[in-house]
Amino acid sequence: MIAALLSRIGQMALVIFGISVLVFCIFFATPGADPTARIAGRGASPQVMERVRAEYGFDRPLPVQYVRMMEKLFVSRDLTSFVNHGQQVVPEVASAAPVTLSLVLWAAFFWVIGSLGIGIVSAVLRDSWVDRFLMVLGLVGLSMPVFWLGEVVNLFTQSRWHDIWMFRWVPPLGYVPLTENPLGWARSLLLPSLTLAVSFMGLYARILRSELLSAMGEDSIRTARAKGAGPVRVWLWHGLRLSWLSYVSLFGLDFAQLLGGGALLTEVVFALPGVGRLTYQALATLDLPLIMATVMYAAIFVVIANALVDGIYALLDPRIREGQHGR
C-alpha cells in the first residue's frame, strides 16, 4: 500500500515537472520569445536592454533560469510580474482562487442535481416523448457555447429586462466576497454558475441515461428484481451503483479542470475576478510569470483530481481494489 502511494506521488510529481518544463520552454526557449523587449519597453536602447536582461537573469543559461523561476514560484513565492513590476503573482493567484472555487462549487451543485434528475427520468421513461424531449433539451444545452449563453443572459438580465420584477434582484456584474455579504455572494454567482452548468448538465444527463439503461441488463439487477426489490430501489440504488464509475470519472476531471481556469469564458463574460480571468489577462499581456503560476495551479489541481478519482474508483468498484491488492 505504501509503495503504491509513493509510486503515485512520484508519478504526480513527474507530470507536474513535465508540464512546468513544457510551459517554460514554450515561452522562453522558442525563437523570438525573449521577454526583455516587452519589459524594457518599445524603443529601449541596447544599454537598457542589457541592464534588464541582467537584472531579470535572462542572460543566464536556460536551465538556470528555469530553476530560478521554480524556486521563486514554489519556495520563496516572490515571483514578480513582468508587466506590473514588483507585483507578486502567487498572492494574486491565491486571491483569485476563492472566486473560481465559489463559481465551480455552485455550478457543480446545479449540474449534478440537474443531470441526475434528467438522466434518471429519461432512463425510466425511455423511448417516450418525455425521454426524447429531455434528451433534445440536453443536446441543446450541450451545443450552446458558454460565452454566447452568458452574453444572452447579461443582455436580458442586465439591460433589457433588468427593471422588471423577475430580474430586478440581479446585481451588477462582478463578485461579492462571502465574508462581506453572504446573500450578495450567492446572488452574484447564481446566474454565472447556472450558465456554466448548462452544458455539463446536458452531457452528464445523457451519459447517466446510457449507463443506467446498460445497467438494467446486468445479472445483479435481475437478481434484485427476483428478490422483490421495487422499481425505486432498482433504479435509484442498484442502477445508480452500477452507473457511477463513468459519471464520477468525468466529474472529477471536469471539476478540477474548471478549478484550474477552465471557467475562463464564464469569468470574463460575468466580470468575475477568478483564476480564469487572471489567465486571460496574463495571456493578453504575455505576462510570463503570471502565466506560469496559473498553469501550474491548474496542473496541480488536475493531477490531484486524477489521483482522487482513481481512489474513488477503488472504493466504488471492489474489482479494482482486488486488482490493487493482487499487485
Side-chain angles (χ1 to χ4, degrees):
M1 183 67 180
I2 297 178
L5 179 61
L6 292 176
S7 174
R8 187 66 183 182
I9 293 175
Q11 292 173 11
M12 293 166 60
L14 187 61
V15 170
I16 292 173
F17 169 73
I19 293 173
S20 67
V21 171
L22 179 62
V23 175
F24 179 85
C25 289
I26 288 174
F27 287 105
F28 285 86
T30 53
D34 185 3
T36 305
R38 289 194 299 275
I39 297 173
R42 183 178 301 175
S45 64
Q47 293 78 11
V48 172
M49 296 279 286
E50 287 299 323
R51 189 175 71 250
V52 169
R53 189 174 284 109
E55 180 181 347
Y56 283 86
F58 300 146
D59 57 344
R60 300 181 181 181
L62 286 176
V64 176
Q65 293 186 46
Y66 169 80
V67 171
R68 186 183 181 191
M69 175 169 282
M70 292 301 105
E71 188 272 334
K72 287 187 174 184
L73 183 59
F74 291 107
V75 181
S76 62
R77 303 203 300 175
D78 59 354
L79 185 64
T80 56
S81 168
F82 287 172
V83 176
N84 301 314
H85 301 293
Q87 184 174 6
Q88 297 184 356
V89 301
V90 174
E92 196 171 356
V93 174
S95 65
V99 182
T100 300
L101 177 62
S102 300
L103 172 65
V104 175
L105 284 175
W106 271 92
F109 171 78
F110 287 127
W111 97 56
V112 168
I113 297 299
S115 62
L116 283 175
I118 295 173
I120 292 172
V121 170
S122 294
V124 172
L125 302 177
R126 60 186 180 277
D127 298 329
S128 67
W129 70 267
V130 176
D131 175 29
R132 289 191 287 270
F133 173 75
L134 291 177
M135 287 299 97
V136 169
L137 195 64
L139 185 60
V140 170
L142 183 61
S143 303
M144 286 190 296
V146 67
F147 66 89
W148 177 85
L149 182 60
E151 290 291 0
V152 171
V153 169
N154 286 338
L155 175 65
F156 287 107
T157 62
Q158 295 290 339
S159 56
R160 291 191 179 180
W161 293 349
H162 182 68
D163 294 330
I164 68 174
W165 65 269
M166 186 180 300
F167 297 115
R168 199 171 295 154
W169 62 269
V170 177
L173 297 179
Y175 176 74
V176 178
L178 175 63
T179 54
E180 290 184 8
N181 185 348
L183 180 59
W185 170 79
R187 290 170 57 192
S188 67
L189 290 170
L190 181 59
L191 291 180
S193 59
L194 281 171
T195 302
L196 181 60
V198 165
S199 61
F200 291 100
M201 198 182 302
L203 173 64
Y204 280 63
R206 295 176 70 87
I207 291 174
L208 182 61
R209 175 188 180 276
S210 175
E211 293 291 329
L212 278 172
L213 292 179
S214 298
M216 289 301 108
E218 296 288 336
D219 292 338
S220 58
I221 296 294
R222 287 192 286 267
T223 301
R225 283 173 172 161
K227 290 181 177 180
V232 174
R233 183 173 178 81
V234 167
W235 284 98
L236 298 184
W237 177 248
H238 298 286
L240 283 178
R241 285 182 64 192
L242 295 173
S243 307
W244 274 129
L245 291 181
S246 298
Y247 194 98
V248 168
S249 176
L250 279 175
F251 178 83
L253 295 178
D254 284 337
F255 189 84
Q257 180 259 342
L258 290 175
L259 277 181
L264 184 153
L265 295 176
T266 305
E267 292 178 0
V268 170
V269 169
F270 288 95
L272 297 174
V275 176
R277 189 166 181 235
L278 194 62
T279 305
Y280 172 80
Q281 294 171 344
L283 290 171
T285 58
L286 280 181
D287 192 352
L288 305 184
L290 188 53
I291 292 173
M292 178 65 77
T294 55
V295 169
M296 295 309 301
Y297 164 89
I300 290 171
F301 264 116
V302 172
V303 168
I304 293 175
N306 193 39
L308 290 177
V309 167
D310 289 345
I312 295 172
Y313 256 38
L315 292 176
L316 293 177
D317 193 340
R319 294 170 298 182
I320 298 177
R321 290 201 300 272
E322 293 171 1
Q324 290 176 344
H325 292 320
R327 289 194 296 270

